[in-house]
Amino acid sequence: MASDHDMLWRRCAHLGHVLLPLMDQEPWRQARRHENLRTWGIDTVEGECLVEVFAALAAHAVAAEAGVSAAEFDALPLSAVAEAATGKRDIELLAGLPDIFADDRGGQAVDLFRLYAYKGGQASRWLFQLSRELRHALIVLAERSPMPSLTCGDVFRRAAEAGLLQ
């Protein structure tokens, strides 16, 4: 049976997984994001993978700092995740992650983020640009919502309504 810490990471990873598909309900947003990634010299597949894991890492950092359990994760404000995306250093986002990931994809994405974080130079610049891209995506989702303070649970509900949850 998975520990609460592992379950929390799974919830965070799931948030990252549904984020870009929710954004892409307006198809021009994906084209703009892909153009940005190409302009920055980032492969689009790799860049989107990094945005996804960046969202998971930011959500995990906020949840861990607030002492939020997996059961309480849905109440986490999306604004706090957006703030962590640009307000925390890359290395801080890596603190407290599970040792083993439920799927290879998640572990590989975190390893790629680690590589970028420790490599420095251009890779650090790319993470900075991706953090801005992530923050923008989270803000756009929040602005689309009629609710004043969007939570992670609201994002999951919107993803379910859009048929994006597996």
Side-chain angles (χ1 to χ4, degrees), residues 131-146:
S131 74
R132 297 290 183 202
E133 188 73 23
L134 171 59
R135 182 178 173 83
H136 174 74
L138 294 169
I139 289 170
V140 166
L141 284 181
E143 287 174 350
R144 281 187 193 165
S145 175

Side-chain angles (χ1 to χ4, degrees), residues 54 57-58 61 65 83-95 113 117-118 127-128 131:
F54 215 132
L57 290 167
E65 193 171 275
E83 184 60 36
T86 56
K88 293 196 174 288
R89 293 181 25 223
D90 306 333
I91 305 303
E92 289 178 287
L93 296 175
L94 292 167
F113 187 92
Y118 291 115
L127 286 181
F128 172 78
S131 74

Side-chain angles (χ1 to χ4, degrees), residues 106-119:
Q108 289 171 350
V110 168
D111 287 344
L112 181 61
F113 187 92
R114 269 191 191 107
L115 176 68
Y116 273 50
Y118 291 115
K119 192 173 184 179

Side-chain angles (χ1 to χ4, degrees), residues 10-129:
R10 288 182 187 160
R11 296 295 289 161
C12 295
H14 192 63
L15 178 70
H17 184 67
V18 300
L19 179 65
L20 293 180
L22 273 175
M23 286 295 297
D24 294 346
Q25 288 181 314
E26 296 172 303
W28 64 269
R29 291 197 183 274
Q30 182 183 53
R32 184 192 69 68
R33 184 176 59 252
H34 286 184
E35 182 180 328
N36 285 344
L37 292 170
R38 283 189 299 273
T39 299
W40 299 330
I42 303 171
D43 176 75
T44 55
V45 173
E46 190 171 287
E48 290 192 341
C49 176
L50 284 166
V51 169
E52 182 178 316
V53 77
F54 215 132
L57 290 167
H60 187 268
V62 171
E65 193 171 275
V68 171
S69 69
E72 301 164 322
F73 180 77
D74 285 8
L76 197 67
L78 204 60
S79 60
V81 177
E83 184 60 36
T86 56
K88 293 196 174 288
R89 293 181 25 223
D90 306 333
I91 305 303
E92 289 178 287
L93 296 175
L94 292 167
L97 290 178
D99 295 328
I100 299 173
F101 295 91
D103 64 354
D104 287 341
R105 184 174 180 263
Q108 289 171 350
V110 168
D111 287 344
L112 181 61
F113 187 92
R114 269 191 191 107
L115 176 68
Y116 273 50
Y118 291 115
K119 192 173 184 179
Q122 183 64 34
S124 291
R125 176 75 178 151
W126 288 337
L127 286 181
F128 172 78
Q129 291 163 316

